[in-house]
Amino acid sequence: MYGHGHTPRTPEAERSRRWFMNKALLAGGVAAVATMTGCSSSSSDTASSASSSGAPGGAPSGMPSGGPGGGGGGGMGPGAEQVKYADVVGVTNDGKVVEDLYTIHSTDVSTDSLVKAAQAFLDGLSSTERKSCVFDIDADEWTAWSNVDGYDRKGVRMGDMTEKKQNLGYALLGEALSADGLTQTRGIMKLNAFLGDSNGGNQKTLTEGHYFFTFMGTPSTTKPWGFQYEGHHVAINYFVLGDQVVMTPTFMGSEPTTGTYKGEKITLFKPETTAGLAMIRSLTAAQLKKAVSSQSNGNEDMKAGAGQDNLKLAYEGLQCSGLTSAQKTKLLDLAGVYIGYMSEGHAEVKLAEVEKHLDDTYFYWMGETEDDSAFYYRIHSPVVLIEYDAQAPLFYKGDTSTASATASATASASASASASASSNSGGPPGGGMGMGGGTPSQEHIHTIIRTPNGGDYGVDLLKLHLENDH
């Protein structure tokens, strides 16, 4: 064991919290809904029975369970679906792990400045703060992340720290991420606050500050360690061993994806959208028949969200071995958008790994292909899984610069809550929190990148390290 041991979240704690929030939803209408902005799976249970009957996975009936947009859908977090760290085998195609994909080796990309930045951040914390955010290298805290705003998180909260400590945190992110990655992360945080302001403000979870750092192990240039940065629409898992880095799973999303916050115009996920369209539009008619699903995209199609660390996901779509060189370049450009959010040198290492397995990569698409279409796509190989999912807006209803727009958003939320409470079993997927329907759009996008076959959280690398060096 490494570092300081802490008791991880338990399914029972999550169950208790979900029960409370569901009761609040039924009793409080709009006020309760406004505190629970996030994403979820569809719910086939009626909300009216939620307060008295339990549902599988630890959530009361009528409340979602599972990770955000993944597998069992999105909910308040992994909860009872959380895979314990010791049990992580990773995303697989058929339940069988492909062996010998990852090795301990030198990448020739130094992590010295990253280690120094992490140590400087930890050194700047009080003893109480440090104790609250440091865990063992193999702690279950790794897999306890969620995308939902109201999820009960561990660690040190950015909004509770002094400006000096916050800057040390941003300096760490600046070393771990590329310039684009830091801009993306900060943009998500700012639009989270923009969303909170558009819904009346005074919501602790819908702010720039409701994001948390946790550390697994102790920053080192030789021993394994890592950190997690997590909050609404952001979950970055960052594992380090020597000069090797694994930055998966990383979830990034936003609602809305455009807005002006404190005078700054922010637009997110344009590269992911345009590069995806460039890839699908490069395919021939015969290739499109294989790549595009006969099923139209729904509200929530993401499979590999929180709580889905051992997901079995069969390859679907077009196998990329038959792509032309130009098409392969477009596919790598698309993958590079997501991989490029990690620091430049390590992104190059990862992209080379993806390119090595390009012939075993599959590209899958659901939905239309117009510039403003809401669609879903997936890149899936033995060493990378990328998902892009345009979802129905949950709270943001357009320009909220006027009181009438805010009132419209609130009224819509109220209508969604009422529809959920009175819906029949087997109804359409909800627009989030299992509340009512909605039309997917590019104003609510979720993305995730994972490393299948035991690569997530550096699990396979840690096992190899312990087997060979200890």
Side-chain angles (χ1 to χ4, degrees), residues 48-246:
S48 60
S49 64
S51 63
S52 60
S53 61
S61 176
M63 286 294 283
S65 64
M76 292 308 300
E81 293 185 16
Q82 180 188 344
V83 177
K84 300 303 183 182
Y85 183 88
D87 298 325
V88 172
V89 297
V91 175
T92 59
N93 175 42
D94 56 5
K96 299 178 182 178
V97 175
V98 179
E99 303 290 345
D100 302 322
L101 288 172
Y102 314 112
T103 62
I104 295 177
H105 62 276
S106 175
T107 64
D108 293 323
V109 181
S110 176
T111 56
D112 288 357
S113 59
L114 173 67
V115 171
K116 290 179 181 178
Q119 194 60 62
F121 175 76
L122 287 170
D123 287 346
L125 299 179
S126 68
S127 58
T128 300
E129 289 171 328
R130 182 162 182 154
K131 184 177 180 181
S132 73
C133 72
V134 178
F135 297 78
D136 297 328
I137 186 61
D138 56 355
D140 291 337
E141 184 62 25
W142 275 120
T143 64
W145 62 270
S146 171
N147 156 60
V148 178
D149 66 317
Y151 188 56
D152 187 17
R153 294 176 167 89
K154 302 285 187 180
V156 287
R157 180 178 179 271
M158 288 290 273
D160 294 335
M161 293 188 288
T162 64
E163 183 178 357
K164 180 179 180 180
K165 293 177 182 179
Q166 289 177 5
N167 288 337
L168 289 172
Y170 289 131
L172 169 56
L173 291 176
E175 291 293 339
L177 306 176
S178 65
D180 286 343
L182 183 59
T183 298
Q184 174 95 333
T185 302
R186 293 290 288 116
I188 292 170
M189 296 168 64
K190 292 172 183 177
L191 286 186
N192 185 52
F194 174 87
L195 179 63
D197 291 345
S198 75
N199 282 276
N202 298 317
Q203 300 171 56
K204 182 178 181 180
T205 63
L206 300 183
T207 62
E208 279 191 79
H210 203 66
Y211 293 84
F212 296 73
F213 271 109
T214 53
F215 291 79
M216 274 54 82
T218 302
S220 169
T221 57
T222 57
K223 295 181 180 180
W225 69 282
F227 72 89
Q228 191 176 74
Y229 188 70
E230 186 198 3
H232 189 207
H233 281 139
V234 173
I236 298 171
N237 291 282
Y238 209 99
F239 174 87
V240 184
L241 177 60
D243 62 8
Q244 289 181 267
V245 164
V246 177

Side-chain angles (χ1 to χ4, degrees), residues 235-276:
I236 298 171
N237 291 282
Y238 209 99
F239 174 87
V240 184
L241 177 60
D243 62 8
Q244 289 181 267
V245 164
V246 177
M247 198 177 99
T248 64
T250 288
F251 183 110
M252 292 186 174
S254 189
E255 183 199 5
T257 56
T258 58
T260 300
Y261 178 67
K262 294 184 177 180
E264 178 185 359
K265 179 64 180 295
I266 302 169
T267 301
L268 301 176
F269 298 103
K270 279 297 182 184
E272 292 87 343
T273 301
T274 57

Side-chain angles (χ1 to χ4, degrees), residues 408-431:
S408 175
T410 304
S412 177
S414 178
S416 294
S418 298
S420 176
S422 61
S423 64
N424 293 321
S425 176

Side-chain angles (χ1 to χ4, degrees), residues 388-407:
Y388 169 108
D389 188 17
Q391 301 192 347
L394 176 58
F395 281 111
Y396 186 66
K397 305 299 177 183
D399 183 7
T400 57
S401 60
T402 66
S404 60
T406 301

